[in-house]
Amino acid sequence: MMVDVGSAKGTIEKHEKEFIQNVFEFDDITAAEIATHRMKVAILWSDETLEQWEETIHKNSYTVYPVCHETADEVLGVINIKEYFRHKNPTKEFVMEKVLQPAYFVPGSVKADNLFRNMKSQRTRFAIVLDEYGGMCGIVTMNDLIEQLVGDFSDGHHTKGETQVVRKLNEDTWQVSGQQELEGLAEQLNMWLPTEEYETFGGMVFGVLGSIPDDGVQFELNAYGLHIEVKNIVDHRIEIATIQKISGSA
């Protein structure tokens, strides 16, 4: 194969070979193969109180949850907790009418490359994967798809010392590597970040973007209360970025 020949000649480094191989295989993998199985999905049940919902939310710390009726196959919609917590002391009726959003359903047979494009065009990062009988077989997030391309964001491509350092530049600005564990970053910044949806800072950024920028690209974006300025992309990963808290975020 061309990738193997290039690797043997030394023209393609190991991580590049893995990335190219993943790209070639991306259109052969189905949503069902990538999906988190329904037995592992955190669900908000329609007959529960909001207090019970919030207990589930705080226990799992995901960004999006499916809301189901009596079984996981009866998906009523999805709740984004950012939207949910914008409302102070909402009633259950209000949440079901105003906060609950339609779910994005995909067949388990859809190929990963098509799903990636469709989710990007739909501007959604969460899909309910259905089996051939219309029941939920699991969920797929944009982060799951990105990891199929670039591998596990915490795969140790950089050394541990590089991946764990958050350098404070001034009162509200920090320098961080894309490999930085998101949980540690959230603790240092003393703010909520989607630590159960993404393992690393880079994974979170790529998930928000919905794409993987080319090497050498620089860009800025706002996400989860942070202004993020990516300084460089190397080997399809964020080498270095600066982050700044947006006023009023905590």
Side-chain angles (χ1 to χ4, degrees):
M1 185 176 182
M2 180 179 65
V3 174
D4 293 319
V5 172
S7 181
K9 291 182 177 179
T11 58
I12 301 177
E13 296 184 17
K14 180 181 178 182
H15 57 268
E16 284 291 333
K17 178 185 175 183
E18 291 174 351
F19 178 77
I20 295 171
Q21 189 69 45
N22 289 344
V23 171
F24 283 144
E25 295 175 352
F26 203 46
D27 60 356
D28 291 327
I29 302 172
T30 65
E33 292 176 280
I34 300 171
T36 298
H37 192 273
R38 59 184 284 165
M39 296 299 292
K40 297 181 179 180
V41 176
I43 294 173
L44 304 179
W45 298 100
S46 62
D47 62 349
E48 292 180 326
T49 65
L50 293 185
E51 288 74 19
Q52 289 173 305
W53 279 16
E54 290 178 15
E55 183 178 341
T56 298
I57 290 170
H58 291 305
K59 179 180 178 181
N60 294 278
S61 300
Y62 297 122
T63 302
V64 181
Y65 293 81
V67 177
C68 299
H69 187 38
E70 294 183 348
T71 72
D73 295 330
E74 299 178 78
V75 181
L76 303 179
V78 297
I79 292 285
N80 185 306
I81 65 167
K82 291 176 64 179
E83 178 63 25
Y84 174 81
F85 284 115
R86 282 196 183 103
H87 305 283
K88 188 175 182 180
N89 300 320
T91 64
K92 180 71 172 293
E93 291 73 21
F94 176 86
V95 172
M96 295 299 290
E97 181 179 346
K98 301 294 185 181
V99 182
L100 184 71
Q101 297 295 316
Y104 179 63
F105 296 101
V106 299
S109 59
V110 67
K111 301 299 184 181
D113 59 336
N114 288 330
L115 180 57
F116 183 86
R117 286 192 294 269
N118 292 340
M119 289 180 71
K120 184 178 177 182
S121 67
Q122 293 290 326
R123 296 186 177 181
T124 183
R125 295 186 292 110
F126 187 94
I128 304 289
V129 183
L130 302 180
D131 60 27
E132 58 186 292
Y133 302 104
M136 180 206 290
C137 66
I139 63 169
V140 168
T141 67
M142 183 62 79
N143 191 54
D144 296 329
L145 294 169
I146 293 172
E147 286 197 348
Q148 288 296 318
L149 284 173
V150 302
D152 191 334
F153 289 115
S154 58
D155 67 358
H157 177 69
H158 297 281
T159 65
K160 185 174 182 180
E162 291 175 320
T163 64
Q164 302 303 315
V165 173
V166 178
R167 180 183 173 194
K168 190 167 186 176
L169 301 180
N170 55 48
E171 186 62 28
D172 60 356
T173 306
W174 294 260
Q175 181 175 283
V176 60
S177 161
Q179 299 295 302
Q180 168 65 39
E181 291 182 358
L182 198 58
E183 185 173 356
L185 180 61
E187 290 177 359
Q188 292 196 50
L189 300 183
N190 191 29
M191 65 186 298
W192 181 89
L193 292 172
T195 56
E196 291 299 324
E197 187 172 354
Y198 305 103
E199 292 185 3
T200 65
F201 171 72
M204 181 187 77
V205 172
F206 288 159
V208 172
L209 279 179
S211 62
I212 304 170
D214 294 332
D215 284 2
V217 167
Q218 297 181 343
F219 59 91
E220 299 180 31
L221 74 158
N222 293 335
Y224 300 109
L226 295 173
H227 176 71
I228 301 167
E229 184 175 350
V230 174
K231 301 294 187 180
N232 197 18
I233 300 289
V234 176
D235 302 330
H236 315 291
R237 290 170 167 84
I238 295 174
E239 183 177 58
I240 203 72
T242 58
I243 55 177
Q244 185 175 31
K245 283 187 177 181
I246 297 173
S247 179
S249 300

